[in-house]
Amino acid sequence: PKDVRRAQRTGGSANPRLRAQGKARESGMNNPSNLKILGGSARGKRLDSPDVYLRPMMGKVREAVYSTFTSFGLYDAGEATRHLDVFAGSGSVGLESLSRGAKSCTFVDLSDNCCDAVRRNLKWCDFGDDSGSGGESSAWSSDEGSKVVCCDAFQAFQNPDAVGIKGPFQIITICPPYEEIVYADMIHAVANSKLVEEDTIIMLEYPVELGCLPHVIQREDGGVLLGVRNRRYGRTVIAMYIVNPTGRLEVAMSRPEEFVSL
């Protein structure tokens, strides 16, 4: 039926549940996409998935993203990188950052189911203890400073104080459900958020059908987001911007040649 096919294409708590298979099912872990940490201190740790339909970032894409972040020096000794993972889902993107050396990560998702999965994964990867957390709580913090916040992405960017999010962040990753947001609105919200500062790296995942994002994005205060990466992986495109670059992240250089038709 058409309604069933439509439901399977989008996310949300009302959609079909995914059942764990094999050893994962036996251990009580729901991991239909075989999600795991790819590098760093928690390398090889398998991740629990929420019981909703998700489209997690492919492993090869996540590896490419973190290779780039590492080349930018974001995990160098002495860096106190704070990461904001928006549309977190299972938390795989932010957890990868913690594994590779981020000081903390704040995970944002509107779904309680997803937020509960992130809490479990933080514990299983030894990045925090979820004792005392509850499904009715909109925010939860670990002893290490990481936080899970159940709220709308636009609220997080536009009114972070109201949901307990304190910036600024050095990395912001945004991996939205393709069909459920207006990208122009999302870009405007993050570009002008108080959660960014000079040299913040913003990574945005988008579908190739969208065309190509602009190389330069203007901020309301006269500042800019400058495109430093824009690469296609199948249907997925990963764009990276740096906010008001100072030159401190020497490798994060402007690459206008990548912001062309894909």
Side-chain angles (χ1 to χ4, degrees):
K2 292 182 178 179
D3 289 344
V4 173
R5 291 198 296 269
R6 186 180 301 113
Q8 290 174 339
R9 289 198 297 268
T10 58
S13 58
N15 293 331
R17 291 175 176 269
L18 298 181
R19 297 182 179 179
Q21 303 294 321
K23 294 181 180 178
R25 186 168 185 171
E26 293 173 4
S27 65
M29 178 181 287
N30 183 35
N31 191 347
S33 301
N34 196 29
L35 283 174
K36 61 183 178 181
I37 301 297
L38 301 176
S41 63
R43 181 178 181 180
K45 291 274 190 178
R46 297 164 67 194
L47 302 177
D48 192 22
S49 293
D51 291 328
V52 296
Y53 183 80
L54 290 180
R55 180 195 43 77
M57 181 183 286
M58 294 182 296
K60 68 176 182 179
V61 179
R62 189 155 32 106
E63 186 63 65
V65 165
Y66 281 95
S67 176
T68 302
F69 285 170
T70 300
S71 75
F72 288 169
L74 295 169
Y75 304 114
D76 288 355
E79 290 290 332
T81 296
R82 301 180 68 236
H83 187 144
L84 178 65
D85 181 12
V86 183
F87 297 101
S90 65
S92 61
V93 175
L95 289 162
E96 190 76 44
S97 193
L98 290 171
S99 181
R100 296 179 186 241
K103 179 181 179 182
S104 65
C105 184
T106 296
F107 301 84
V108 173
D109 202 287
L110 184 59
S111 165
D112 287 338
N113 200 308
C114 290
C115 290
D116 287 344
V118 175
R119 295 182 185 110
R120 292 193 297 271
N121 286 329
L122 279 164
K123 181 180 180 181
W124 290 344
C125 291
D126 297 321
F127 295 137
D129 185 352
D130 67 350
S131 60
S133 66
E136 297 180 356
S137 176
S138 62
W140 169 87
S141 300
S142 76
D143 293 339
E144 288 73 22
S146 291
K147 176 179 288 190
V148 182
V149 181
C150 286
C151 75
D152 177 75
F154 287 97
Q155 185 179 20
F157 288 132
Q158 296 169 344
N159 194 11
D161 292 339
V163 291
I165 299 176
K166 303 297 182 184
F169 294 91
Q170 289 69 53
I171 300 174
I172 298 178
T173 50
I174 307 170
C175 303
Y178 295 161
E179 297 86 0
E180 296 181 20
I181 70 159
V182 177
Y183 275 83
D185 293 344
M186 181 60 61
I187 292 170
H188 181 270
V190 65
N192 296 287
S193 175
K194 64 191 292 184
L195 297 180
V196 305
E197 63 177 357
E198 290 181 341
D199 295 324
T200 292
I201 297 294
I202 298 171
M203 187 224 80
L204 181 65
E205 179 181 344
Y206 68 99
V208 69
E209 293 88 347
L210 194 65
C212 184
L213 296 184
H215 171 235
V216 178
I217 297 170
Q218 300 292 331
R219 287 165 43 97
E220 292 176 346
D221 63 2
V224 297
L225 273 63
L226 191 63
V228 296
R229 295 288 189 280
N230 191 58
R231 297 182 180 176
R232 178 178 176 178
Y233 305 87
R235 186 193 176 196
T236 297
V237 185
I238 298 294
M240 294 187 190
Y241 293 89
I242 185 169
V243 180
N244 295 342
T246 66
R248 184 179 68 85
L249 301 181
E250 296 179 1
V251 179
M253 302 295 291
S254 172
R255 294 198 178 184
E257 69 276 10
E258 294 194 9
F259 288 81
V260 295
S261 297
L262 298 168

